[in-house]
Amino acid sequence: MRMFLKLLLLVCYSWSCAQATNCNTTSPYRTLDGSCNNLQNPSWGAANTVYERLIAADYGDGVKSPRKATNGADLPSARTISMKLFGDENVLEPAFTLLSMQFGQLVAHDMGFIRGGADILPCCSGGKLVSNPVPRCYPIPVASDDPVMGSAGVQCLDFLRTITDCDTDPSSCSNNKKAEQLNVVTSFLDLSVVYGNSVEENTPLRQFTGGLMKVETRDGTDWPPQNPNANTVCVQRNPDDACYLTGDARANLSPHLAILHILFLREHNRIATRLAALHPDWNDEKLFQEARRINIAQYQQIVFYEWLPNFLPLPENGDKRSLVSVLAHQYRGDVNPTTLNSNAHAAFRYFHSAIISQLHLDHENRSKAGEVSFTDHTLNPAILEAPCKYAQLSRGLATQPMARIDLNIDHEIKHNFLKLDAPFGNDLRAIDIQRARDHGLPSYNRFREWCGLPKAASFDELASLLHSSQDAARLASVYASVDDVELTVAGLFEKHVPGTQVGATFRCILLEQFHRTRVGDRFFFETSDPIVGFSKEQFKQLRKANIARLLCDNTPKLEGMQSKAFATIDAGSNKVSPCSSLPVVDLDSWK
């Protein structure tokens, strides 16, 4: 854990909050820190601003302490809830590939990263509470009879509270103002994971010639630059092991996540190279900004038209909001695009159930060549540069089914998350529960009410909303009151809306978030604004963007891909086809 926290420091070296400055109203390019997207409210969605809320925080003391039960007692241990209510089996989802889950993580990282996750302040050492812990310590208790960690003598798991505006400026939180957590990345779908969230972060990532991002070429293949602090931010088994410097410090967390970072980095340079050929008169800055603009537009097309429809529903009569209605809106300056606390730290985390820790390596014919463990390669993406492995892992990513969204979470993620060289790891499900309490997210019932859905007055009433009638009894075994039941927990127990991967409450929050993300982004690629929008012919080309073609264009030795790469291969409607047959964005439209 300490190694990972050191890694995260890289994203946090510039804490200057976005200020309401004089905005350039004629620039077609978004700022790196997200400021000035909204000309009337320049800080909306900018890096280093607070998360937005649908419902006011429910803190234990009304101001900043973690949420408590309705009777004033502490809520049950997050690890106990994880163990009692959630399994660790891998039940596969036959419809969608692991790419769907991994892309969701990239989107989540693009929209949010809590401030303070980089701090190296251990709360538990060797599984025991440290003496004189810092005030931000909020360790997760582990019961002595815990069947996995109890026998090892583990009494607590590390957890630090997120830094809030009250921590950075105590004077702003007088008169019992509620604390709000800070987000250090932009809220927009702007590939900040590639480009960084400030000029200071972006500068070491650029070549400053030909509009290119900086790369290192090894064996004829381009890779992100080596991180200058590789020996402290990655788990290197050899001094020359790869450890990448990207726009987001979490890029090295897993080989699959690194692949997606590399994908959009290479795509930027592919676009910039083509634009330079079309426009030899353009200087480096013009080429960089235009390539970035196109790269982001392709990414937004994929997010909203290829990926989101897989887990959000088609419109239904009487719906307050549906995916189609989200897509139908043009920019509105009165919509705040800031990432929602309840989305980033509850609803969107449902994807953690889809994680698989054993990653397949596949041959071109999609037969299995082997597999590697997420745990063995955490913070060490060096395997990507081993002969054939990058292409094999990329094929596996788009072939291997993800886990089903259910009440399980992968065994390694539940018991050995960020284990590194320690005898035990952390529990991602428990971390999710603890983080929601840290942020004062109100109860499941409160969010049901906000969404216009019926509240449950008792556990008996709750039963009809869940997967099975026994689930309410399971929740009642750990919560004293139905109003104690947490959004992060009950959201996973809800019956899925037909045709989707989520229940009604998470669906409501996700739709609200992506409505704001789309409608509140002045630079969203579909805009008709003559200053920031694309021409009709360029827009027509951007509609062709798809994740399969991006993988093909940026993965050496990859010869074919199914056209719907988020969906599992089907010999009929979704078979592997030659890369050359897939739709492509014709950059000649930018002549």
Side-chain angles (χ1 to χ4, degrees), residues 273-477:
T273 300
R274 178 61 182 150
L275 292 178
L278 293 172
H279 295 278
D281 57 318
W282 283 4
N283 63 20
D284 168 72
E285 185 65 18
K286 176 74 171 179
L287 288 167
F288 169 78
Q289 292 293 356
E290 287 293 329
R292 174 176 175 246
R293 184 169 171 249
I294 295 169
N295 203 16
I296 293 170
Q298 292 183 146
Y299 166 66
Q300 291 179 339
Q301 162 70 22
I302 291 167
V303 171
F304 274 88
Y305 291 96
E306 188 176 5
W307 179 72
L308 273 177
N310 289 336
F311 66 89
L312 288 180
L314 295 173
E316 300 173 10
N317 291 334
D319 271 3
K320 176 182 177 182
R321 178 159 296 140
S322 69
L323 181 56
V324 169
S325 69
V326 167
L327 301 179
H329 286 81
Q330 280 290 326
Y331 172 69
R332 285 177 48 191
D334 61 340
V335 173
N336 188 342
T338 301
T339 300
L340 297 170
N341 214 321
S342 53
N343 186 74
H345 304 106
F348 215 1
R349 296 197 176 199
Y350 86 93
F351 256 117
H352 287 164
S353 291
I355 295 173
I356 297 284
S357 64
Q358 296 301 119
L359 314 179
H360 290 185
L361 298 95
D362 285 0
H363 295 297
E364 187 61 36
N365 66 2
R366 297 321 191 254
S367 63
K368 187 177 173 183
E371 63 181 40
V372 298
S373 167
F374 171 94
T375 301
D376 291 343
H377 296 276
T378 300
L379 299 181
N380 185 338
I383 189 174
L384 297 178
E385 299 193 31
C388 301
K389 293 297 188 291
Y390 188 92
Q392 289 178 339
L393 278 164
S394 296
R395 294 187 201 104
L397 177 62
T399 303
Q400 181 180 1
M402 71 179 195
R404 180 167 289 172
I405 306 298
D406 58 15
L407 298 179
N408 289 292
I409 187 167
D410 189 278
H411 181 276
E412 289 296 294
I413 306 304
K414 184 171 180 177
H415 306 298
N416 292 316
F417 183 59
L418 296 175
K419 177 181 177 181
L420 306 181
D421 298 323
F424 58 89
N426 215 313
D427 175 352
L428 184 57
R429 176 66 71 221
I431 290 172
D432 289 347
I433 296 168
Q434 194 83 339
R435 184 63 66 198
R437 295 174 181 179
D438 168 30
H439 288 207
L441 292 188
S443 70
Y444 168 71
N445 253 342
R446 293 278 306 281
F447 279 97
R448 292 275 303 178
E449 183 177 35
W450 187 92
C451 291
L453 300 167
K455 292 172 60 178
S458 65
F459 283 104
D460 287 340
E461 286 190 13
L462 185 63
S464 65
L465 308 176
L466 310 180
H467 289 294
S468 74
S469 57
Q470 289 76 35
D471 287 340
R474 295 175 64 198
L475 291 169
S477 72

Side-chain angles (χ1 to χ4, degrees), residues 363-366 395 398-399 546-553 555 557-565 567-583:
H363 295 297
E364 187 61 36
N365 66 2
R366 297 321 191 254
R395 294 187 201 104
T399 303
N546 61 93
I547 193 68
R549 185 68 194 224
L550 260 64
L551 285 165
C552 279
D553 287 343
T555 308
K557 300 180 181 179
L558 181 64
E559 299 176 4
M561 182 63 61
Q562 71 270 31
S563 60
K564 299 176 181 177
T568 50
I569 295 170
D570 184 293
S573 61
N574 200 34
K575 64 182 180 181
V576 175
S577 300
C579 286
S580 59
S581 69
L582 297 171

Side-chain angles (χ1 to χ4, degrees), residues 172-208:
S172 70
C173 292
S174 57
N175 300 320
N176 292 325
K177 173 197 169 297
K178 293 178 184 288
E180 299 294 349
Q181 289 73 29
L182 290 162
N183 181 6
V184 301
V185 304
T186 75
S187 293
F188 302 103
L189 292 174
D190 59 0
L191 286 178
S192 59
V193 291
V194 174
Y195 300 108
N197 293 276
S198 66
V199 172
E200 293 80 8
E201 290 180 9
N202 179 253
T203 297
L205 301 174
R206 285 180 61 177
Q207 186 68 38
F208 289 104

